[in-house]
C-alpha cells in the first residue's frame, strides 16, 4: 500500500484547529449583494469588497450578456498570441483616459498585475523599498524579481527615506505602498513617499486595489485623492473590488505598458479575460463616470457605520476608508465574535494570523453604497449584543 506523502498536511490543519484558526468556507447561495443568503441563512453582508454594488448592477449585467452573445465565452489565447480582442483594447484605453495616464494594461487579476509588474521591471541588482503591511501579491512579485527587499515600518516615510538615503545613488530603487491597506483601512503614506522618490530618483508605485472606485474623483484612486498626478510612475488598480467584476490593471507611461506587454509573465503566459469580463469592466467605468452618487452613498454609509461602532465602544483602529476593523486581539475570540454575529444574521468574517499580525485578530467589516440604513442599524444592534455577550465591549 502506498503511504500518503501529503500526510504532513493533516498535522498542519490540526494545528490550525487547535488554535481556533481553521475556517470552513462560507458559501453564498444568492447573489453577491448587501443583503443575501450565506450557508442558507439570510444575512446583512459586511464581508465583500463590492463597495458600490456593481456585482449586480444592471448595466454591467447587460454588457456581459451582450458580449457573450456577440463574442462567445472565452478569449481562446493569451494576449500576445491570439487572445487580444477589441474589447480588451477598448478597456485599456478607457482605463488610461479614466486615470489620466498615457496608457494602461489589463491583467487577469490585481494579484497578477502586482506580481507580474514588480517581477518584470526589476532584477537582482535592484532594491524594493516596501511598507511592512503591503499586499501579498507585492511581496511575491518582489521575491520573483530577485531584487533586494527593504521593508519600512507601516506608513513610516521617514524610515523609507533613511533606507533610500543609505543605498548607492546609482542603484535602481522602487518605493511601493498600498493606497488603502486592506486589513486596517488606513491610507499609505503616499505624499511623503513621493517626496522621497522625487528626491532620490526612485520609481514610485502604488497598489490602489481598495482605492479604485472609492477614493479620488469618480473613484480614480489615491493619486487623484492626494493630487499627486505625474508623480507616481506605476498605478495598479483592481477591477475585482469596487468595479464589481474581475481583473487588475497598471496605468502609467506608454513605455511602461509596452514593456509589460513584452515581459510581464502573467500577460505572456496566462489566457486573457473572457469578453463578458472585459465588457462588464467597461460598463463599470461608465457607471463610475455617470453615477457619482453611488460613491457619495458609500461614504455616507461609512460614516454612519463607523461612528456607530465607535459609539458602542469597539476598537476600530485607524481606518480612513469603508474598511472598518473591529479589533479583538485574540484569534479565538475574534472567530467567536464572527460566529455569534452570523447566528444573529450578520456576515462579518473573522481574520487572524497570518493575514494580520499575532494578537491583532479582528472582525473586518466593509459597508457598501447599497446597504440601507435599516440593514446597517440591524448590524450595529447585532454587534452590540454579540460584543457584550463575549465581553469585547
Ligand atoms: C485584493 C487586493 C489585491 C488583489 O486584487 P485581485 O483583483 O483580487 O487579485 C491586490 N492588492 C491589494 C492591496 C488588495 O487588497
Amino acid at each position: 500500500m502506498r503511504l500518503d506523502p501529503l500526510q504532513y498536511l493533516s498535522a498542519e490543519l490540526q494545528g490550525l484547529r487547535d488554535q481556533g484558526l481553521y475556517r470552513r468556507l462560507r458559501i453564498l447561495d444568492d447573489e453577491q449583494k448587501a443583503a443575501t443568503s450565506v450557508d442558507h441563512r439570510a444575512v446583512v453582508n459586511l464581508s465583500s469588497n463590492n463597495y458600490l454594488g456593481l456585482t449586480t448592477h444592471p448595466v454591467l449585467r447587460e454588457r456581459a450578456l451582450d458580449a457573450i452573445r456577440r463574442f462567445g465565452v472565452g478569449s481562446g489565447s493569451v494576449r500576445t498570441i491570439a487572445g487580444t480582442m477589441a474589447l480588451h483594447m477598448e478597456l485599456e484605453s478607457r482605463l488610461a483616459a479614466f486615470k489620466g495616464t498615457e496608457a494602461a494594461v489589463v491583467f487577469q487579476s490585481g494579484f497578477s498585475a502586482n506580481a507580474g509588474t514588480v517581477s518584470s521591471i526589476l532584477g537582482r541588482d535592484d532594491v524594493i523599498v516596501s511598507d511592512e503591511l503591503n499586499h501579498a501579491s507585492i511581496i511575491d512579485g518582489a521575491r520573483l524579481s530577485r531584487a533586494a527587499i527593504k521593508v519600512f515600518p507601516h506608513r513610516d516615510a521617514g524610515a523609507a527615506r533613511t533606507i533610500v538615503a543609505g543605498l548607492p545613488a546609482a542603484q535602481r530603487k522602487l518605493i511601493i505602498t498600498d493606497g488603502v491597506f486592506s486589513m486596517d483601512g488606513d491610507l499609505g503614506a503616499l505624499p511623503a513617499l513621493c517626496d522621497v522618490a522625487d528626491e532620490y530618483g526612485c520609481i514610485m508605485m502604488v497598489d490602489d486595489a481598495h482605492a479604485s472606485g472609492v477614493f479620488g474623483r469618480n473613484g480614480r484612486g489615491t493619486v487623484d485623492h492626494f493630487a499627486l498626478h505625474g508623480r507616481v510612475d506605476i498605478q495598479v488598480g483592481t477591477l475585482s473590488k469596487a468595479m464589481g467584476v474581475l481583473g487588475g490593471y497598471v496605468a502609467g507611461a506608454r513605455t511602461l505598458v509596452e514593456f509589460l506587454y513584452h515581459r510581464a509573465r502573467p500577460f505572456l503566459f496566462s489566457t486573457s479575460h473572457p469578453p463578458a469580463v472585459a465588457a462588464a469592466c467597461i460598463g463599470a467605468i461608465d457607471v463610475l463616470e455617470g453615477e457619482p452618487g453611488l460613491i457619495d452613498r458609500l461614504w455616507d454609509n461609512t460614516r454612519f457605520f463607523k461612528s456607530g461602532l465607535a459609539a458602542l465602544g469597539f476598537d476600530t483602529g485607524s481606518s480612513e476608508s469603508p474598511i472598518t476593523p473591529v479589533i479583538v486581539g485574540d484569534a479565538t475570540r475574534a472567530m467567536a465574535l464572527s460566529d455569534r454575529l452570523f447566528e444573529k444574521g450578520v456576515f462579518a468574517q473573522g481574520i487572524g494570523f497570518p493575514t494580520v499580525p499575532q494578537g491583532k485578530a479582528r472582525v473586518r467589516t466593509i459597508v457598501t453604497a447599497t446597504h440601507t440604513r435599516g440593514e446597517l442599524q440591524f448590524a450595529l444592534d447585532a454587534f452590540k449584543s454579540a460584543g457584550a455577550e463575549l465581553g469585547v465591549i
Side-chain angles (χ1 to χ4, degrees), residues 70-132:
R70 289 169 62 204
F71 302 110
V73 294
S75 78
S77 173
V78 300
R79 288 285 303 275
T80 47
I81 298 183
T84 295
M85 301 176 109
L87 279 169
H88 296 122
M89 298 313 291
E90 183 184 344
L91 174 57
E92 289 181 344
S93 59
R94 288 293 304 277
L95 283 168
F98 182 65
K99 299 288 280 190
T101 56
E102 273 179 13
V105 47
V106 170
F107 287 80
Q108 298 86 351
S109 68
F111 194 105
S112 54
N114 272 325
T117 300
V118 174
S119 62
S120 63
I121 65 167
L122 296 177
R124 62 174 81 246
D125 296 330
D126 307 328
V127 184
I128 296 167
V129 180
S130 177
D131 188 289
E132 65 178 336

Side-chain angles (χ1 to χ4, degrees), residues 109-111 114 135 137 178 180 182 207 209-210 238 240-241 247:
S109 68
F111 194 105
N114 272 325
H135 191 258
S137 54
D178 283 9
V180 175
S182 53
D207 171 8
H210 280 281
T238 181
S240 328
K241 289 173 175 154

